[in-house]
Amino acid sequence: MKLPIVTSWLAVCVLQTCSGDSHQSGIKPKMLERIKKEVTGYRDVAKSIIDLAVYGSAQNRSYERLALFVDTIGNRISGSDNLKNAIKYMYSALQEDRLLNVSLEPVKVPHWVRGEESAVMLQPRKKNLAILGLGGSVGTPVEGITAEVIVVSSFAELQKRAEEAKGKIVVYNQPFVSYGETVQYRSRGASEGAKVGAVASLIRSIASFSINSPHTGWQDYQSGVPKIPTACITVEDAELMARMASRGIKIVIQLTMGAVQHPDADSFNTVAEIVGSKYPEQVVIVSGHLDSWDVGQGAMDDGGGAFISWEALSLINDLGLRPKRTIRLVLWTGEEQGGVGASQYYERHKKDIGNMDLVMEADIGTFMPLGIQFSGTPQARAIMSEVMQLLAPINVTKLYDYAEGTDISFWMEAGVPGASIIDEISTYFWFHHSEGDTMTVQNPIWMNLCAAVWTVVAYVVADLEEMLPR
């Protein structure tokens, strides 16, 4: 996951629950009753999906598939051999799962390699610092950069102390407020430091909790601003240096980074389908991204989302269901660099935008599901609210505003309804973009529930007689 649209999941949960009543939706009462009756007709099918995913023979399948995948392949950064192996693996697995139109759609993706990297505090005492270079960073000279540190807590403080920053390494000890708000220090930190003459920047990891764990992520150099090396450090080390600086103690760091930005690499979005029985040209997309960062296993971000999306098609096939519309699985590549693969997919397929019924992406964990986030017209929201009632057997019936997902944002901006799963993510940023993103984070029971939610929504929307209103 690169950057969610919503800055606070709790605010969304509490403040923006959608009721879907006829007064808010603009749907006339008689029409709403017809919709309710049509959707209610799927109650038995929904229960069959839930029973199979949560209690039946498919129980724990998405978890076990994911464990085998990440244990075999490992992490999968854009442009890497591991990502190539992951795509080959999934291409074969989807064919073996009897899905139709399994294909690889070519894209170009960034190819950044971090290389060897280290940071050592030399003064006031020698201490090795745990670091991870930020995606796209330039490297240091071979001998590294040795410089005094200036510690700031905000961009505003950096501006006030601009003269002090010249020739120094900027350390950002910004407090974690929310991911959406705090991530600006990762994306902008290097360029803001370079503007005031800093020689490198180190950011406090964008994490809500830390056990001396650095958290990487993509950063964006600003055009016309010198590129300086940039990396993340742990929350603990950022706070340590802040305390030292507050006492007037001089801090000196030696930073060495072997990062290299190679030319864009060839890659693929991985696609498979269940072809619609009545309106095959109309499509519901279910998706997650296959790439990850080059740390941990990428099991949470976004192995879980990718594999419950695959599971949705498997469950539908297992039950012998064939929706009226095509359900298309897309496993995106290059998401962590800003949805690079998804952007190229959109450009290739936007001519079919009138046939895109709903785009769905799971990319904020597969913890205990709370409901679905949705972006669309009030009329479409009213229909989705009724669909969510089919999930009453597992008590996941809430519909929230504002679907999120880097890869589906291109379609949503063009007016296509979008959906994302929302779950209990209070621990998500403990592991995000770190060595801690492993199978140990995943819970098979939660994955079963997420798969059930994802499948019911995808199937019912794909099988309704009419597309969701634009």
Side-chain angles (χ1 to χ4, degrees), residues 5-47:
I5 296 168
V6 180
T7 59
S8 171
W9 73 275
L10 184 59
V12 172
C13 292
V14 173
L15 298 177
Q16 296 179 332
T17 304
C18 178
S19 66
D21 65 52
S22 60
H23 295 292
Q24 293 182 354
S25 69
I27 295 179
K28 295 179 179 179
K30 286 186 178 180
M31 185 176 294
L32 186 62
E33 285 304 312
R34 180 182 63 77
I35 291 167
K36 286 182 178 181
K37 184 176 180 181
E38 182 183 7
V39 173
T40 300
Y42 288 96
R43 188 176 294 161
D44 290 343
V45 173
K47 188 175 185 303

Tab-separated table of all heavy atoms in Angstrom, residues 5-47:
chain	number	residue	atom	x	y	z
A	5	ILE	N	-6.501	6.887	0.669
A	5	ILE	CA	-7.256	8.112	0.467
A	5	ILE	C	-7.779	8.641	1.790
A	5	ILE	O	-7.832	9.830	2.035
A	5	ILE	CB	-8.432	7.837	-0.503
A	5	ILE	CG1	-7.870	7.450	-1.876
A	5	ILE	CG2	-9.341	9.033	-0.634
A	5	ILE	CD1	-8.906	6.889	-2.808
A	6	VAL	N	-8.156	7.726	2.682
A	6	VAL	CA	-8.723	8.134	3.962
A	6	VAL	C	-7.608	8.284	4.976
A	6	VAL	O	-6.737	7.444	5.080
A	6	VAL	CB	-9.748	7.082	4.447
A	6	VAL	CG1	-10.335	7.487	5.777
A	6	VAL	CG2	-10.847	6.924	3.419
A	7	THR	N	-7.604	9.372	5.743
A	7	THR	CA	-6.537	9.599	6.707
A	7	THR	C	-6.813	8.950	8.044
A	7	THR	O	-5.901	8.683	8.795
A	7	THR	CB	-6.318	11.106	6.925
A	7	THR	OG1	-7.529	11.691	7.404
A	7	THR	CG2	-5.921	11.774	5.635
A	8	SER	N	-8.031	8.683	8.380
A	8	SER	CA	-8.346	8.071	9.668
A	8	SER	C	-9.458	7.063	9.501
A	8	SER	O	-10.592	7.407	9.252
A	8	SER	CB	-8.780	9.141	10.677
A	8	SER	OG	-9.277	8.528	11.848
A	9	TRP	N	-9.098	5.776	9.638
A	9	TRP	CA	-10.124	4.744	9.472
A	9	TRP	C	-11.190	4.848	10.550
A	9	TRP	O	-12.358	4.599	10.309
A	9	TRP	CB	-9.477	3.355	9.485
A	9	TRP	CG	-9.004	2.913	10.818
A	9	TRP	CD1	-7.802	3.184	11.411
A	9	TRP	CD2	-9.729	2.128	11.764
A	9	TRP	NE1	-7.736	2.627	12.650
A	9	TRP	CE2	-8.895	1.963	12.895
A	9	TRP	CE3	-10.986	1.556	11.771
A	9	TRP	CZ2	-9.294	1.255	14.003
A	9	TRP	CZ3	-11.385	0.842	12.877
A	9	TRP	CH2	-10.536	0.693	13.984
A	10	LEU	N	-10.805	5.266	11.751
A	10	LEU	CA	-11.790	5.364	12.818
A	10	LEU	C	-12.811	6.451	12.533
A	10	LEU	O	-14.009	6.284	12.764
A	10	LEU	CB	-11.074	5.643	14.143
A	10	LEU	CG	-11.976	5.673	15.390
A	10	LEU	CD1	-12.691	4.334	15.550
A	10	LEU	CD2	-11.158	5.989	16.619
A	11	ALA	N	-12.333	7.576	11.979
A	11	ALA	CA	-13.255	8.657	11.647
A	11	ALA	C	-14.263	8.203	10.606
A	11	ALA	O	-15.448	8.530	10.676
A	11	ALA	CB	-12.488	9.869	11.130
A	12	VAL	N	-13.777	7.415	9.638
A	12	VAL	CA	-14.686	6.898	8.618
A	12	VAL	C	-15.728	5.977	9.259
A	12	VAL	O	-16.919	6.073	9.004
A	12	VAL	CB	-13.892	6.130	7.538
A	12	VAL	CG1	-14.847	5.433	6.589
A	12	VAL	CG2	-13.019	7.097	6.757
A	13	CYS	N	-15.248	5.081	10.135
A	13	CYS	CA	-16.162	4.128	10.756
A	13	CYS	C	-17.242	4.823	11.563
A	13	CYS	O	-18.408	4.450	11.522
A	13	CYS	CB	-15.377	3.187	11.673
A	13	CYS	SG	-14.286	2.065	10.805
A	14	VAL	N	-16.841	5.839	12.327
A	14	VAL	CA	-17.764	6.466	13.257
A	14	VAL	C	-18.674	7.476	12.585
A	14	VAL	O	-19.868	7.549	12.849
A	14	VAL	CB	-16.980	7.134	14.405
A	14	VAL	CG1	-17.909	7.928	15.300
A	14	VAL	CG2	-16.243	6.082	15.206
A	15	LEU	N	-18.096	8.271	11.669
A	15	LEU	CA	-18.818	9.442	11.172
A	15	LEU	C	-19.513	9.232	9.839
A	15	LEU	O	-20.430	9.968	9.503
A	15	LEU	CB	-17.843	10.616	11.033
A	15	LEU	CG	-17.181	11.080	12.343
A	15	LEU	CD1	-16.182	12.187	12.042
A	15	LEU	CD2	-18.220	11.559	13.338
A	16	GLN	N	-19.074	8.241	9.052
A	16	GLN	CA	-19.552	8.214	7.691
A	16	GLN	C	-20.219	6.900	7.319
A	16	GLN	O	-20.130	6.461	6.189
A	16	GLN	CB	-18.385	8.515	6.739
A	16	GLN	CG	-17.862	9.930	6.970
A	16	GLN	CD	-16.704	10.262	6.075
A	16	GLN	OE1	-15.950	9.394	5.661
A	16	GLN	NE2	-16.543	11.523	5.761
A	17	THR	N	-20.875	6.254	8.242
A	17	THR	CA	-21.652	5.074	7.931
A	17	THR	C	-22.830	5.477	7.062
A	17	THR	O	-23.493	6.461	7.318
A	17	THR	CB	-22.181	4.420	9.221
A	17	THR	OG1	-21.069	4.141	10.060
A	17	THR	CG2	-22.942	3.161	8.924
A	18	CYS	N	-23.072	4.694	6.017
A	18	CYS	CA	-24.129	5.048	5.067
A	18	CYS	C	-25.397	4.271	5.375
A	18	CYS	O	-25.376	3.064	5.486
A	18	CYS	CB	-23.649	4.738	3.653
A	18	CYS	SG	-24.881	5.081	2.409
A	19	SER	N	-26.483	4.949	5.502
A	19	SER	CA	-27.745	4.293	5.842
A	19	SER	C	-28.433	3.701	4.632
A	19	SER	O	-29.137	2.716	4.723
A	19	SER	CB	-28.679	5.296	6.517
A	19	SER	OG	-29.053	6.307	5.606
A	20	GLY	N	-28.276	4.327	3.486
A	20	GLY	CA	-28.881	3.804	2.278
A	20	GLY	C	-30.384	3.953	2.214
A	20	GLY	O	-31.034	3.247	1.457
A	21	ASP	N	-30.983	4.855	2.987
A	21	ASP	CA	-32.439	4.982	2.905
A	21	ASP	C	-32.849	5.768	1.662
A	21	ASP	O	-32.052	6.419	1.023
A	21	ASP	CB	-33.014	5.621	4.168
A	21	ASP	CG	-32.564	7.065	4.374
A	21	ASP	OD1	-32.710	7.852	3.436
A	21	ASP	OD2	-32.072	7.380	5.473
A	22	SER	N	-34.128	5.675	1.313
A	22	SER	CA	-34.592	6.231	0.041
A	22	SER	C	-34.499	7.748	0.009
A	22	SER	O	-34.326	8.333	-1.050
A	22	SER	CB	-36.028	5.783	-0.227
A	22	SER	OG	-36.886	6.233	0.815
A	23	HIS	N	-34.610	8.412	1.174
A	23	HIS	CA	-34.540	9.870	1.181
A	23	HIS	C	-33.145	10.341	0.787
A	23	HIS	O	-32.981	11.312	0.069
A	23	HIS	CB	-34.919	10.396	2.572
A	23	HIS	CG	-36.349	10.106	2.941
A	23	HIS	ND1	-37.405	10.699	2.306
A	23	HIS	CD2	-36.880	9.262	3.867
A	23	HIS	CE1	-38.547	10.256	2.832
A	23	HIS	NE2	-38.251	9.379	3.779
A	24	GLN	N	-32.133	9.644	1.283
A	24	GLN	CA	-30.761	10.021	0.957
A	24	GLN	C	-30.351	9.551	-0.431
A	24	GLN	O	-29.538	10.176	-1.089
A	24	GLN	CB	-29.792	9.446	1.989
A	24	GLN	CG	-29.947	10.068	3.380
A	24	GLN	CD	-28.943	9.507	4.362
A	24	GLN	OE1	-28.212	8.583	4.039
A	24	GLN	NE2	-28.912	10.067	5.551
A	25	SER	N	-30.896	8.437	-0.891
A	25	SER	CA	-30.425	7.825	-2.130
A	25	SER	C	-31.013	8.464	-3.373
A	25	SER	O	-30.420	8.384	-4.450
A	25	SER	CB	-30.780	6.333	-2.138
A	25	SER	OG	-32.184	6.175	-2.260
A	26	GLY	N	-32.162	9.085	-3.268
A	26	GLY	CA	-32.808	9.623	-4.458
A	26	GLY	C	-33.598	8.572	-5.222
A	26	GLY	O	-34.170	8.860	-6.268
A	27	ILE	N	-33.627	7.335	-4.728
A	27	ILE	CA	-34.400	6.276	-5.363
A	27	ILE	C	-35.837	6.321	-4.834
A	27	ILE	O	-36.063	6.414	-3.625
A	27	ILE	CB	-33.783	4.884	-5.081
A	27	ILE	CG1	-32.395	4.792	-5.732
A	27	ILE	CG2	-34.679	3.774	-5.604
A	27	ILE	CD1	-31.707	3.472	-5.495
A	28	LYS	N	-36.789	6.248	-5.738
A	28	LYS	CA	-38.191	6.268	-5.331
A	28	LYS	C	-38.511	5.034	-4.498
A	28	LYS	O	-37.949	3.955	-4.735
A	28	LYS	CB	-39.088	6.327	-6.558
A	28	LYS	CG	-38.939	7.632	-7.346
A	28	LYS	CD	-39.836	7.639	-8.570
A	28	LYS	CE	-39.689	8.955	-9.346
A	28	LYS	NZ	-40.536	8.976	-10.553
A	29	PRO	N	-39.411	5.169	-3.515
A	29	PRO	CA	-39.711	4.062	-2.603
A	29	PRO	C	-40.072	2.756	-3.314
A	29	PRO	O	-39.623	1.690	-2.904
A	29	PRO	CB	-40.876	4.601	-1.780
A	29	PRO	CG	-40.670	6.081	-1.774
A	29	PRO	CD	-40.108	6.420	-3.128
A	30	LYS	N	-40.886	2.838	-4.385
A	30	LYS	CA	-41.271	1.601	-5.083
A	30	LYS	C	-40.062	0.922	-5.716
A	30	LYS	O	-39.927	-0.301	-5.688
A	30	LYS	CB	-42.328	1.908	-6.155
A	30	LYS	CG	-43.720	2.197	-5.589
A	30	LYS	CD	-44.738	2.354	-6.708
A	30	LYS	CE	-46.126	2.596	-6.142
A	30	LYS	NZ	-47.145	2.752	-7.217
A	31	MET	N	-39.175	1.743	-6.294
A	31	MET	CA	-37.981	1.182	-6.917
A	31	MET	C	-37.058	0.584	-5.852
A	31	MET	O	-36.455	-0.485	-6.058
A	31	MET	CB	-37.231	2.253	-7.712
A	31	MET	CG	-36.030	1.719	-8.491
A	31	MET	SD	-35.241	2.993	-9.507
A	31	MET	CE	-36.559	3.314	-10.698
A	32	LEU	N	-36.975	1.255	-4.708
A	32	LEU	CA	-36.142	0.742	-3.627
A	32	LEU	C	-36.673	-0.598	-3.139
A	32	LEU	O	-35.907	-1.523	-2.860
A	32	LEU	CB	-36.072	1.745	-2.477
A	32	LEU	CG	-35.107	1.386	-1.339
A	32	LEU	CD1	-33.670	1.320	-1.844
A	32	LEU	CD2	-35.214	2.390	-0.201
A	33	GLU	N	-37.971	-0.718	-3.062
A	33	GLU	CA	-38.567	-1.982	-2.647
A	33	GLU	C	-38.245	-3.094	-3.644
A	33	GLU	O	-37.983	-4.238	-3.256
A	33	GLU	CB	-40.083	-1.832	-2.476
A	33	GLU	CG	-40.498	-1.096	-1.218
A	33	GLU	CD	-39.932	-1.728	0.041
A	33	GLU	OE1	-40.039	-2.970	0.188
A	33	GLU	OE2	-39.351	-0.999	0.873
A	34	ARG	N	-38.273	-2.735	-4.942
A	34	ARG	CA	-37.926	-3.729	-5.968
A	34	ARG	C	-36.476	-4.180	-5.816
A	34	ARG	O	-36.163	-5.370	-5.922
A	34	ARG	CB	-38.149	-3.138	-7.366
A	34	ARG	CG	-37.812	-4.116	-8.497
A	34	ARG	CD	-37.995	-3.490	-9.856
A	34	ARG	NE	-37.106	-2.370	-10.081
A	34	ARG	CZ	-35.810	-2.487	-10.379
A	34	ARG	NH1	-35.253	-3.699	-10.451
A	34	ARG	NH2	-35.070	-1.427	-10.597
A	35	ILE	N	-35.581	-3.207	-5.542
A	35	ILE	CA	-34.164	-3.531	-5.361
A	35	ILE	C	-33.979	-4.423	-4.139
A	35	ILE	O	-33.251	-5.420	-4.175
A	35	ILE	CB	-33.338	-2.234	-5.232
A	35	ILE	CG1	-33.320	-1.499	-6.560
A	35	ILE	CG2	-31.918	-2.540	-4.763
A	35	ILE	CD1	-32.812	-0.065	-6.458
A	36	LYS	N	-34.644	-4.056	-3.038
A	36	LYS	CA	-34.548	-4.859	-1.825
A	36	LYS	C	-34.999	-6.292	-2.082
A	36	LYS	O	-34.374	-7.257	-1.620
A	36	LYS	CB	-35.389	-4.242	-0.714
A	36	LYS	CG	-34.792	-2.989	-0.085
A	36	LYS	CD	-35.681	-2.486	1.054
A	36	LYS	CE	-35.076	-1.274	1.726
A	36	LYS	NZ	-35.904	-0.785	2.858
A	37	LYS	N	-36.091	-6.426	-2.837
A	37	LYS	CA	-36.611	-7.766	-3.122
A	37	LYS	C	-35.619	-8.560	-3.972
A	37	LYS	O	-35.384	-9.751	-3.706
A	37	LYS	CB	-37.953	-7.650	-3.856
A	37	LYS	CG	-38.628	-8.987	-4.108
A	37	LYS	CD	-39.997	-8.806	-4.761
A	37	LYS	CE	-40.672	-10.147	-5.007
A	37	LYS	NZ	-42.000	-9.981	-5.662
A	38	GLU	N	-35.031	-7.899	-4.979
A	38	GLU	CA	-34.061	-8.592	-5.825
A	38	GLU	C	-32.847	-9.030	-5.013
A	38	GLU	O	-32.408	-10.182	-5.111
A	38	GLU	CB	-33.611	-7.702	-6.985
A	38	GLU	CG	-32.635	-8.407	-7.922
A	38	GLU	CD	-32.125	-7.521	-9.043
A	38	GLU	OE1	-32.422	-6.309	-9.031
A	38	GLU	OE2	-31.420	-8.037	-9.930
A	39	VAL	N	-32.311	-8.123	-4.204
A	39	VAL	CA	-31.117	-8.452	-3.426
A	39	VAL	C	-31.420	-9.516	-2.380
A	39	VAL	O	-30.625	-10.445	-2.168
A	39	VAL	CB	-30.535	-7.182	-2.771
A	39	VAL	CG1	-29.391	-7.546	-1.824
A	39	VAL	CG2	-30.041	-6.213	-3.836
A	40	THR	N	-32.579	-9.410	-1.736
A	40	THR	CA	-32.957	-10.409	-0.730
A	40	THR	C	-33.006	-11.805	-1.331
A	40	THR	O	-32.759	-12.804	-0.638
A	40	THR	CB	-34.322	-10.046	-0.107
A	40	THR	OG1	-34.225	-8.762	0.509
A	40	THR	CG2	-34.750	-11.071	0.939
A	41	GLY	N	-33.299	-11.891	-2.619
A	41	GLY	CA	-33.325	-13.178	-3.298
A	41	GLY	C	-31.992	-13.897	-3.320
A	41	GLY	O	-31.928	-15.094	-3.635
A	42	TYR	N	-30.926	-13.194	-2.966
A	42	TYR	CA	-29.594	-13.805	-2.940
A	42	TYR	C	-29.211	-14.309	-1.551
A	42	TYR	O	-28.067	-14.709	-1.331
A	42	TYR	CB	-28.543	-12.793	-3.409
A	42	TYR	CG	-28.609	-12.506	-4.885
A	42	TYR	CD1	-29.313	-11.405	-5.368
A	42	TYR	CD2	-27.977	-13.338	-5.807
A	42	TYR	CE1	-29.383	-11.137	-6.726
A	42	TYR	CE2	-28.048	-13.072	-7.170
A	42	TYR	CZ	-28.749	-11.975	-7.615
A	42	TYR	OH	-28.813	-11.713	-8.964
A	43	ARG	N	-30.163	-14.302	-0.627
A	43	ARG	CA	-29.841	-14.655	0.756
A	43	ARG	C	-29.255	-16.063	0.858
A	43	ARG	O	-28.257	-16.296	1.545
A	43	ARG	CB	-31.091	-14.521	1.611
A	43	ARG	CG	-30.836	-14.686	3.105
A	43	ARG	CD	-32.114	-14.441	3.884
A	43	ARG	NE	-32.556	-13.056	3.763
A	43	ARG	CZ	-33.801	-12.648	4.015
A	43	ARG	NH1	-34.732	-13.528	4.346
A	43	ARG	NH2	-34.118	-11.379	3.914
A	44	ASP	N	-29.866	-17.019	0.147
A	44	ASP	CA	-29.388	-18.407	0.222
A	44	ASP	C	-28.013	-18.553	-0.433
A	44	ASP	O	-27.158	-19.295	0.063
A	44	ASP	CB	-30.387	-19.354	-0.426
A	44	ASP	CG	-31.677	-19.494	0.384
A	44	ASP	OD1	-31.664	-19.115	1.575
A	44	ASP	OD2	-32.684	-19.963	-0.188
A	45	VAL	N	-27.821	-17.861	-1.559
A	45	VAL	CA	-26.517	-17.927	-2.231
A	45	VAL	C	-25.439	-17.336	-1.332
A	45	VAL	O	-24.345	-17.902	-1.189
A	45	VAL	CB	-26.560	-17.176	-3.578
A	45	VAL	CG1	-25.167	-17.087	-4.190
A	45	VAL	CG2	-27.509	-17.876	-4.547
A	46	ALA	N	-25.747	-16.197	-0.724
A	46	ALA	CA	-24.782	-15.560	0.174
A	46	ALA	C	-24.431	-16.481	1.329
A	46	ALA	O	-23.263	-16.603	1.721
A	46	ALA	CB	-25.334	-14.235	0.681
A	47	LYS	N	-25.441	-17.149	1.876
A	47	LYS	CA	-25.186	-18.067	2.991
A	47	LYS	C	-24.317	-19.233	2.539
A	47	LYS	O	-23.441	-19.700	3.287
A	47	LYS	CB	-26.503	-18.586	3.561
A	47	LYS	CG	-26.316	-19.389	4.848
A	47	LYS	CD	-27.649	-19.797	5.451
A	47	LYS	CE	-27.440	-20.500	6.799
A	47	LYS	NZ	-26.570	-21.681	6.707
